[in-house]
Amino acid sequence: MFFYNLLTDTTSSSGNTGSGYQTWVLLGVAVLMIGLMMFFNHRSQKKRQKEMDDTLAAIKPGCKVKTIGGICGVVVEVNNDENTFVLETGSKKNKSYIKFDKIAVYQTDAKKEEAPAPVEVAEPVAEEVVEAPVEAVEETKDAE
């Protein structure tokens, strides 16, 4: 109710019409809030889409898949050119093979392959040669 009165009330208690700036401030804040909500919604949607694309790209033969139609099975063949895969479903005796678009995947156990961490190669450590004083070497020769 406060916001409605703020927007519609153009006269102050002294009778002047000076509350017009309040309306513009309120509208500015509302537009800013809507803009921020749209920005953060777009970011999260983009993140979800990237995760889904990575998951679909990780599908390979042997992965278990559930489609949006509820059909469960194991991927037998993947065709990246057509963006499709062949799903094997059924029992051991009665197997069925169905071709689906990759976007029909609802759930899968395929995981994005992580890039292997770079292996650090240790540089060979040069052995430090400690020379004995000449006097010590002569004393050991004399002792023999």
Side-chain angles (χ1 to χ4, degrees):
M1 193 66 180
F2 169 74
F3 293 115
Y4 178 75
N5 289 337
L6 186 63
L7 287 173
T8 57
D9 186 21
T10 57
T11 61
S12 63
S13 61
S14 62
N16 296 335
T17 58
S19 66
Y21 73 92
Q22 292 175 343
T23 303
W24 289 109
V25 169
L26 183 63
L27 287 175
V29 169
V31 168
L32 181 66
M33 288 180 63
I34 290 171
L36 285 173
M37 287 182 357
M38 289 174 61
F39 172 73
F40 286 117
N41 185 29
H42 179 69
R43 276 185 64 197
S44 64
Q45 184 179 4
K46 218 171 151 182
K47 184 179 177 183
R48 277 193 305 267
Q49 184 64 40
K50 185 180 181 319
E51 289 174 358
M52 187 63 175
D53 290 343
D54 291 344
T55 302
L56 293 180
I59 293 176
K60 57 184 179 246
C63 293
K64 294 179 182 178
V65 170
K66 181 177 184 181
T67 66
I68 55 176
I71 299 172
C72 299
V74 177
V75 176
V76 177
E77 178 184 333
V78 177
N79 186 343
N80 289 326
D81 295 335
E82 294 180 4
N83 208 22
T84 60
F85 65 95
V86 176
L87 190 68
E88 176 186 295
T89 185
S91 64
K92 291 182 180 181
K93 290 184 178 181
N94 301 322
K95 291 184 180 179
S96 298
Y97 298 93
I98 308 168
K99 188 174 185 178
F100 288 98
D101 284 337
K102 280 188 177 181
I103 58 172
V105 172
Y106 175 69
Q107 199 174 28
T108 182
D109 66 349
K111 301 291 180 196
K112 177 183 170 190
E113 294 179 11
E114 297 294 327
V119 178
E120 294 183 23
V121 178
E123 295 181 18
V125 178
E127 293 183 21
E128 193 173 311
V129 178
V130 179
E131 294 183 16
V134 177
E135 298 166 353
V137 174
E138 289 177 0
E139 289 176 7
T140 55
K141 286 183 183 179
D142 291 337
E144 292 177 358

